[in-house]
Amino acid sequence: MNHPTPIEDAVLESLGTMRPGARGRIAHFEVSVDEGQDESLTDRLREVGFAENLEVEVLHQSPFGRDPIAVRVGKMTIALRRKEANIVKVHLV
Amino acid sequence: MSASTLVAVVGNPNCGKSALFNALTGLRQKVANYPGATVERRAGPLLGNDKLELIDLPGTYSLTPRSPDEAVTRDVILGQYEAEDRPKALLCVVDATNLEQHLRFIIELRGTGVPMVLALNMTDLAAREEIRIDADALSKRLGVPVVETVAVRRKGLEALQKTLDGVLAGARQSVVDFGISVKDHQRAARKIAADVTLSEGIGHKTTRMLDSVLLHSVIGPIILFSILFFMFQAVFAWAEAPMGWIEDGIALLQGAFEGILSDGLILSFLNDGILAGVGAVVVFLPQILILFAFILILESSGYMARAAFLMDRLMASVGLNGRAFIPLLSSFACAIPGIMAARTISDPKDRLTTILIAPLMTCSARLPVYAVIIAAFIPNTPVWGAIGLQGLVMFILYLAGIVFALIVAAVMKRTITKGEVQTFMLELPKYQPPHWRYVLVGLYERARIFMRRAGTMILSATIILWVLSSYPNPPAGATEPAITYSFVGIIGGWLEVIFSPIGFNWEISAALVPGMAAREVAVAALGTVYSLSGNEDMIAEGLVATLNNAWSLPTALSFLAWFVFAPQCLSTIAVAKRETGGWKWAIFMVGYLFVLAYLASFVTYRVSLALLG
């Protein structure tokens, strides 16, 4: 993290709860054990292109039930479901 | 074990591996613009050096496989693939417009110790996006040679071959320690990418613009639906003229044979057997090519992944995910590549479900069956202006296949293939104008396969059918057409007992049997059977008119309903057996489809009989 301050930590949001147009920078990854997720999911997110400090922007959401979402991550666009997107914690801009 | 030196082509999904493989070997591996187009390994000797064999592998993000296709890649690279040596070198491919992401896997591969050459691919697109990369610096940082390439335009191939030869002959590449975790690799990749990138570029604006329309929450689904609808309208409207030419050509040949040969066995064999049978199928080549052109263009444009995104929610409601939509859409062409493409699905149960429902998607072999019946029984009156009723009925039949596929999937996911909810994660590639060379090569391949089938399987099935329809000869003083006394007549008579409740006469029942070899053979079989049992006038009018006279409308509708579920062709059963690892699921698939086909036809027949009288 470039400049972590207490204020920024206060506005962390899960990527899966963001609406189209919302933007931010990836802070860290955190799987939800309650949802039955394990760390391999974080690896998978990293493999498709998510990484700390990358800029993310929610571009589109599915017309049906607003899930999945299409997210710009760095230069790529990745489609994923909100449940998995929630692993990605974002500093809102 | 082969004597030649093996080099594996590896990299992230959709970075141009297959295009590069094709350029280097002269082979025609499928090239498309969506992640997961290549699902199995394919080997071929390098052009101009057959001592060196290239292996094209499915794209993967890491050596930890998430799906069966990715497992193949890992096994080949690590030398665990059965009956094959470990590759002597890797030809790694990265997309120059997405270096920081693609380098991570390359860094992981450096840890395997296998010597490699890095192809910095798609440099033309990078230049267009004003991205500038220092290839020499990249080479120094990674400790491997780097060559700039544009696979689809065959640029940089000579330098690549030379470098590859050097690596195979030369010294070991030094090992650089980049750490072991995904996070370590990611950090190293981003650091290197940032250091060697001279200019960041401006991104792909067209893609963002197109997505704002094509993924729009209202317009997006309407466009997807319209594309599919337009596709089926076009299949009918555009094919009309070329189909007429082929029909005229066949009639001309039949007329010529009649002029040369006297009435007898040889004339009957040529006209009623081969021309009526094989001709009835060949006539559909234009329609099949138009359908394939649409699918190939969709695949190479980058739209397929968007369709998967739009469909994910619907697929989730039946327990599958959006990724399954790509194999299912491919199944419109043929269920076999569709079933193979299911290898990209990570969850074994989701994959099994997708394989089992793939045959419900109307494949192009069913197109002739639908088209003949529709042409015979549905008037081509315009509905709502430009849309023809025939195209509409065709669209409804395709839709019926999709709807039943989803229903069957929903039932299976709640019973026999029950499992945890799976994730959906898919990279949406940049849009590309379709590469016409790949579309044309794809169409040529398709036409070749179709004509070969017509010339071999359909021809031999037709010949066998003609023989069985002509013998034994009718007894003296027979009143019915000769075919009634033949083997086909006898077998058709037996089967009619089973099929008469759904409105099938003995001719249809007999045609269903060779239809097992390939669905379009059913049309060829009807052509032969009716040609032998009809009078001369009927033959002159062709199969469409013959059927119109011989069948009632309820029978025709019942026949269409039967083919929505269509009993399997043998190759589909064989592929399902191979992909599911045994007979169990293949037999299950055939069984459930037969039951559904019978029930659907029964209901269709009885209801339309009651309504139409």
Side-chain angles (χ1 to χ4, degrees), chain B residues 13-267:
Chain B
N14 214 34
C15 67
K17 293 175 295 301
S18 295
L20 193 60
F21 173 85
N22 285 351
L24 289 170
T25 60
L27 292 174
R28 298 195 203 102
Q29 179 78 310
K30 174 177 178 176
V31 173
N33 182 19
Y34 62 89
T38 305
V39 292
E40 59 179 348
R41 61 175 284 290
R42 166 121 192 239
L46 200 70
L47 280 179
N49 178 8
D50 53 12
K51 284 271 169 281
L52 206 156
E53 190 159 71
L54 278 188
I55 313 170
D56 189 26
L57 292 171
T60 176
Y61 292 106
S62 74
L63 288 173
T64 312
R66 311 287 180 194
S67 50
D69 58 329
E70 297 183 358
V72 170
T73 303
R74 181 210 45 200
D75 291 347
V76 170
I77 294 171
L78 299 182
Q80 295 162 353
Y81 195 82
E82 51 180 321
E84 189 165 273
D85 290 332
R86 190 172 182 179
K88 289 280 183 302
L90 302 178
L91 173 48
C92 297
V93 188
V94 293
D95 173 356
T97 67
N98 200 0
L99 188 62
E100 61 174 23
Q101 159 67 6
H102 285 201
L103 270 187
R104 191 190 36 70
F105 182 38
I106 306 309
I107 283 170
E108 184 180 357
L109 289 171
R110 284 288 278 124
T112 63
V114 186
M116 63 168 76
V117 177
L118 185 70
L120 187 60
N121 197 27
M122 306 195 191
T123 46
D124 58 334
L125 297 183
R128 206 175 305 157
E129 290 181 31
E130 297 172 25
I131 297 168
R132 288 197 297 127
I133 295 165
D134 184 343
D136 292 335
L138 180 60
S139 167
K140 281 201 191 84
R141 293 292 294 270
L142 288 171
V144 301
V146 174
V147 182
E148 295 187 34
T149 58
V150 183
V152 294
R153 304 199 196 293
R154 299 162 191 268
K155 279 188 189 151
L157 300 184
E158 257 178 59
L160 191 61
Q161 289 197 28
K162 224 173 269 169
T163 315
L164 199 55
D165 289 340
V167 166
L168 287 167
R172 290 172 45 136
Q173 289 171 348
S174 62
V175 178
V176 186
D177 184 18
F178 293 109
I180 47 161
S181 74
V182 178
K183 196 176 175 179
D184 293 340
H185 295 155
Q186 197 171 39
R187 194 177 295 147
R190 294 186 62 196
K191 180 82 174 71
I192 295 174
D195 291 349
V196 302
T197 302
L198 305 173
S199 157
E200 276 272 3
I202 50 171
H204 201 251
K205 284 182 186 155
T206 321
T207 292
R208 300 195 62 176
M209 249 169 50
L210 280 173
D211 271 344
S212 65
V213 179
L214 296 176
L215 295 183
H216 186 273
S217 52
V218 181
I219 306 168
I222 294 176
I223 292 178
L224 173 61
F225 194 77
S226 308
I227 290 174
L228 296 180
F229 188 81
F230 180 72
M231 185 160 102
F232 298 120
Q233 283 292 322
V235 161
F236 259 92
W238 297 351
E240 214 169 297
M243 286 173 75
W245 304 333
I246 298 177
E247 273 172 352
D248 292 347
I250 292 167
L252 214 65
L253 269 179
Q254 283 177 326
F257 284 141
E258 266 166 39
I260 305 163
L261 299 164
S262 56
D263 211 8
L265 214 56
I266 298 172
L267 182 66

Side-chain angles (χ1 to χ4, degrees), chain A:
Chain A
M1 266 145 269
N2 285 338
H3 22 252
T5 65
I7 298 158
E8 277 192 49
D9 283 343
V11 289
L12 274 188
E13 188 155 352
S14 303
L15 180 61
T17 61
M18 289 162 59
R19 309 181 128 258
R23 295 197 301 167
R25 202 166 274 279
I26 297 175
H28 65 275
F29 301 91
E30 193 180 314
V31 295
S32 160
V33 183
D34 294 345
E35 294 267 12
Q37 295 172 331
D38 64 51
E39 282 301 329
S40 72
L41 266 175
T42 304
D43 279 351
R44 238 181 115 174
L45 286 165
R46 287 186 190 281
E47 284 168 13
V48 294
F50 288 90
E52 285 88 350
N53 267 324
L54 272 184
E55 205 182 294
V56 286
E57 177 183 357
V58 178
L59 296 176
H60 309 280
Q61 58 189 8
S62 164
F64 314 106
R66 293 189 222 151
D67 192 15
I69 50 176
V71 184
R72 182 173 62 79
V73 187
K75 291 178 193 167
M76 325 165 55
T77 310
I78 293 163
L80 77 172
R81 290 191 183 154
R82 289 189 182 269
K83 191 178 153 197
E84 281 77 44
N86 275 334
I87 295 171
V88 183
K89 308 297 176 190
V90 179
H91 287 299
L92 288 185
V93 182

